[in-house]
Amino acid sequence: MKKEFLISKRIANTKNTENQYSKIISKLSIIAIASSLSIIIIAICCGEGLKKNIENNFIEIFSNIRIENYTNNNEVFIEGNTFSLKKEKLRKIKELKDVNHIQSVVSKFAALSNEKNLKGSILIGVDSTYNWQTINKKIIEGNTNSLLKWKKGDSPHIVISENMSKKLDVNVNDTILASFSRIKKNKEKIDSTATFSNIIISGIYKTDIKEYDEKICLINANFIRNKFRINNDAVNFYEIFIAENANSNSLAQEINKIIEDPFIKAEPINKKFDWLFQWINMFNKNIIYITTIMLIICIVNMLSFLIVFILERSQMIGVLKSFGTKNTQIGRIFLYRSLYITLKGMVLGNSIGLSVCYIQNKFEIIKLNPDSYFVNKIPIHFPWETIIQVNILSLVLIQLAIIIPYYKITKLKPAKILKIK
């Protein structure tokens, strides 16, 4: 064991506290490092949790890529014009490396009503290819089992949101009226007429995405096709789900090359919700700002401690120099002391930060307004690689605080320090 480490350890364990302000400052430095690092860890875990949950929630509901008609004008909630893709093109899209699932959707505007209330909505017609696992996780009452059992002449079943059920004041198994606007094109004129259907509520869902919950209902696709005489191959849009780490932008370009139709486009969902993904990316900037500020606080505290420590130990420095000890050797004594304080603060900071995140992840104590954050609680994600990198960065940067004190050590002269009191 090096003598510099032994001296540093002896200084740390000394019981003589006379005029040792460094003892108090060292404790304050440990507290500063612990609190700063815990804040950084909490910010990272909460920020990553919000990013992943919000992004995954949107992708689960809206898919990664949507194939639709150009006339939709980049709108998400629109009935749109129907189109069809050849089976050969669909097969090629499904065979792309990162494509996990593709589903067809037909949609229609409808006004849902009971005896007292009326609510506009968009009916999403779904079939057996729909991503049922995702929507079933969102069901809070009833189920989706009867949705696909529709037969011609029967009343169709529908899944509505909790938001709609409250506004319409209806429950599962209630029957409501759906009013559709239908346009009949003749050679001489265009007549707008309305058509009606009784539908039965089979389930109620909640996604925490206000834009979706206020408008979208799920219904059997064959009902819509039959009601409006839509061809079995025609759809309003296709939804494509891709692998987790796949690039949706480049994959959308590949799909467009397969489609080769100037009136049909494949577009990533992040372009439709550009404002949302820009907001999500701001989490990264906020984490960087918090980390930078907290590290500056740690460095300043360590710098203060080392300066006071050197002033208190100036007599010791003078004695060591008089015996021929090099500046680098003396500097290592203070470096070991700095490392001890930093590591102690880091262990405490990691313990506090990770414990707080674990408690929130386990018991969901802190809630959020889903209308503003698209989630109803602060979600936690533990990006261990990032946490380790932050710890290493903190350890290295805080030790840079010794540069100024080391410069001070090199300027101290034994003749001026060693004076008889």
Side-chain angles (χ1 to χ4, degrees), residues 242-335:
I242 65 176
E244 185 176 350
N245 297 319
N247 188 315
S248 60
N249 292 312
S250 60
L251 196 55
Q253 291 176 2
E254 289 185 56
I255 294 170
N256 280 320
K257 290 178 182 178
I258 294 173
I259 295 172
E260 290 184 328
D261 191 319
F263 300 105
I264 302 171
K265 62 178 178 179
E267 189 171 52
I269 200 66
N270 57 9
K271 288 191 176 180
K272 286 188 171 294
F273 292 101
D274 184 55
W275 58 271
L276 173 74
F277 286 86
Q278 285 182 5
W279 178 61
I280 289 175
N281 289 332
M282 285 180 63
F283 293 160
N284 291 332
K285 293 181 180 179
N286 292 336
I287 291 171
I288 292 171
Y289 294 150
I290 291 171
T291 302
T292 303
I293 293 169
M294 293 297 107
L295 286 177
I296 290 172
I297 292 172
C298 292
I299 292 170
V300 170
N301 274 274
M302 185 57 67
L303 179 61
S304 302
F305 161 72
L306 289 172
I307 290 174
V308 172
F309 192 37
I310 288 171
L311 292 175
E312 280 188 353
R313 296 291 170 175
S314 58
Q315 291 285 328
M316 182 194 75
I317 294 170
V319 172
L320 291 172
K321 281 196 170 189
S322 66
F323 281 102
T325 307
K326 297 179 181 178
N327 288 327
T328 53
Q329 291 176 304
I330 298 172
R332 278 200 290 269
I333 295 172
F334 292 95
L335 178 62

Side-chain angles (χ1 to χ4, degrees), residues 142 183 197 217 232 241 271 313 376 379:
I183 299 177
S197 292
C217 299
N232 286 337
F241 296 86
K271 288 191 176 180
R313 296 291 170 175
N376 57 12

Side-chain angles (χ1 to χ4, degrees), residues 132-274:
W132 293 104
Q133 186 178 359
T134 296
I135 196 64
N136 283 333
K137 290 190 298 184
K138 311 293 183 182
I139 297 294
I140 59 174
E141 190 178 348
N143 56 66
T144 61
N145 298 337
S146 55
L147 215 60
L148 297 179
K149 296 178 181 178
W150 177 82
K151 294 180 180 179
K152 190 173 180 180
D154 295 342
S155 294
H157 286 73
I158 190 173
V159 173
I160 67 174
S161 69
E162 184 186 41
N163 180 299
M164 289 188 183
S165 69
K166 289 179 179 178
K167 290 185 176 180
L168 291 172
D169 192 22
V170 292
N171 297 302
V172 171
N173 297 324
D174 286 352
T175 299
I176 57 177
L177 184 68
S179 306
F180 303 94
S181 176
R182 183 167 59 185
I183 299 177
K184 293 182 178 179
K185 295 185 178 180
N186 299 321
K187 293 181 179 180
E188 299 180 355
K189 61 180 181 178
I190 298 176
D191 294 329
S192 295
T193 60
T195 181
F196 305 92
S197 292
N198 287 319
I199 53 179
I200 303 168
I201 299 171
S202 65
I204 296 174
Y205 73 85
K206 183 181 180 182
T207 68
D208 289 325
I209 300 176
K210 185 178 179 181
E211 289 82 355
Y212 191 91
D213 289 358
E214 283 190 342
K215 300 175 181 178
I216 302 300
C217 299
L218 302 181
I219 199 167
N220 192 299
N222 290 331
F223 166 75
I224 293 180
R225 293 184 190 281
N226 180 74
K227 189 79 173 175
F228 297 94
R229 297 182 179 86
I230 299 174
N231 190 291
N232 286 337
D233 295 329
V235 299
N236 289 95
F237 52 88
Y238 290 98
E239 293 180 331
I240 300 175
F241 296 86
I242 65 176
E244 185 176 350
N245 297 319
N247 188 315
S248 60
N249 292 312
S250 60
L251 196 55
Q253 291 176 2
E254 289 185 56
I255 294 170
N256 280 320
K257 290 178 182 178
I258 294 173
I259 295 172
E260 290 184 328
D261 191 319
F263 300 105
I264 302 171
K265 62 178 178 179
E267 189 171 52
I269 200 66
N270 57 9
K271 288 191 176 180
K272 286 188 171 294
F273 292 101
D274 184 55

